[in-house]
Amino acid sequence: SYVLTQPPSVSVAPGKTARITCGGNNIGSKSVHWYQQKPGQAPVLVIYYDSDRPSGIPERFSGSNSGNTATLTISRVEAGDEADYYCQVWDSSSDHRGVFGTGTKVTVL
Amino acid sequence: EVQLVESGGVVVQPGGSLRLSCAASGFTFDDYTMHWVRQAPGKGLEWVSLISWDGGSTYYADSVKGRFTISRDNSKNSLYLQMNSLRTEDTALYYCAKSGGDSGSYYDYWGQGTLVTVSS
């Protein structure tokens, strides 16, 4: 089965840039989506199709995907960005299934 | 405004059964693939199941295949998850999620979840 690996945690100072990686075999050939989840809340889509932003998501959130790594970048980090972040792909190689990354806790110092 | 409201989560004994429901509103329900995603306490997200817009195609995670059945009633704008032979490892918050885009490969709206606890 397809596996997506994320760093458990990323720490960043306010105003700086946070980069969250999502590693998977040839992930660049897949569409990657990203979700933000704050404590006690449902996940929220922040990036879809590698780099598109849903309406209402700040331009500070951006995404890229190439080779074996996809990256979510949060620029000018704010205290309100502190949350868990999950990458996700749809794997239709052998069977149809959704796959989530292991999740990354972003801490704003 | 899109709304997804899950219900049916309770405490159940191992080996028991449960049916979760998700009431959808604010969009044309029968135009979209729907999913169930779960999250065990303190853990990450796990995709559980998918059903196509017309119910003609369904897929399951290996961890629930043969035990869970996803279904939908488009006349009632409702999604369901029948859960049988429940195990302690099925304990989780279960989210209903709407698929987004032409591919349906991501989840653009989520409910608030319903908690299933499997315990003796």
Side-chain angles (χ1 to χ4, degrees):
Chain A
S1 62
Y2 195 74
V3 176
L4 295 175
T5 302
Q6 299 180 234
S9 62
V10 167
S11 297
V12 59
K16 300 300 185 182
T17 298
R19 293 181 179 84
I20 304 162
T21 59
C22 175
N25 184 35
N26 197 25
I27 195 174
S29 66
K30 300 181 181 297
S31 292
V32 179
H33 319 294
W34 291 90
Y35 303 86
Q36 175 193 69
Q37 186 180 34
K38 296 181 179 179
Q41 298 184 20
V44 172
L45 180 71
V46 294
I47 292 289
Y48 63 103
Y49 291 148
D50 297 340
S51 59
D52 290 343
R53 271 179 294 103
S55 61
I57 300 300
E59 291 183 6
R60 302 184 297 103
F61 288 82
S62 62
S64 62
N65 184 21
S66 179
N68 293 317
T69 304
T71 303
L72 173 69
T73 300
I74 311 173
S75 303
R76 301 180 301 282
V77 166
E78 302 174 356
D81 298 331
E82 187 163 286
D84 294 325
Y85 291 84
Y86 296 90
C87 58
Q88 177 252 320
V89 301
W90 187 255
D91 180 25
S92 55
S93 56
S94 57
D95 195 1
H96 295 266
R97 64 191 66 198
V99 180
F100 285 97
T102 49
T104 298
K105 168 68 176 178
V106 170
T107 300
V108 180
L109 301 171
Chain B
E1 177 193 6
V2 172
Q3 284 199 324
L4 299 168
V5 180
E6 302 93 337
S7 61
V10 291
V11 178
V12 61
Q13 292 189 337
S17 297
L18 198 56
R19 189 197 199 203
L20 305 184
S21 300
C22 171
S25 61
F27 65 102
T28 305
F29 183 68
D30 56 11
D31 277 351
Y32 293 93
T33 295
M34 297 294 294
H35 301 256
W36 287 99
V37 177
R38 69 184 181 182
Q39 187 170 34
K43 302 297 184 181
L45 300 171
E46 180 188 14
W47 174 80
V48 173
S49 183
L50 161 159
I51 187 166
S52 60
W53 66 274
D54 62 350
S57 295
T58 58
Y59 300 98
Y60 299 91
D62 288 344
S63 57
V64 307
K65 197 174 294 184
R67 301 187 298 121
F68 289 11
T69 302
I70 191 172
S71 62
R72 65 191 296 162
D73 185 339
N74 287 343
S75 69
K76 295 181 178 180
N77 287 351
S78 292
L79 175 71
Y80 306 102
L81 186 67
Q82 178 66 43
M83 309 165 67
N84 298 331
S85 302
L86 283 161
R87 305 167 179 168
T88 55
E89 56 263 36
D90 295 319
T91 293
L93 188 61
Y94 284 74
Y95 293 104
C96 158
K98 171 186 168 294
S99 68
D102 293 339
S103 68
S105 65
Y106 61 91
Y107 321 115
D108 57 359
Y109 289 94
W110 300 62
Q112 285 304 305
T114 188
L115 182 62
V116 173
T117 302
V118 184
S119 173
S120 54

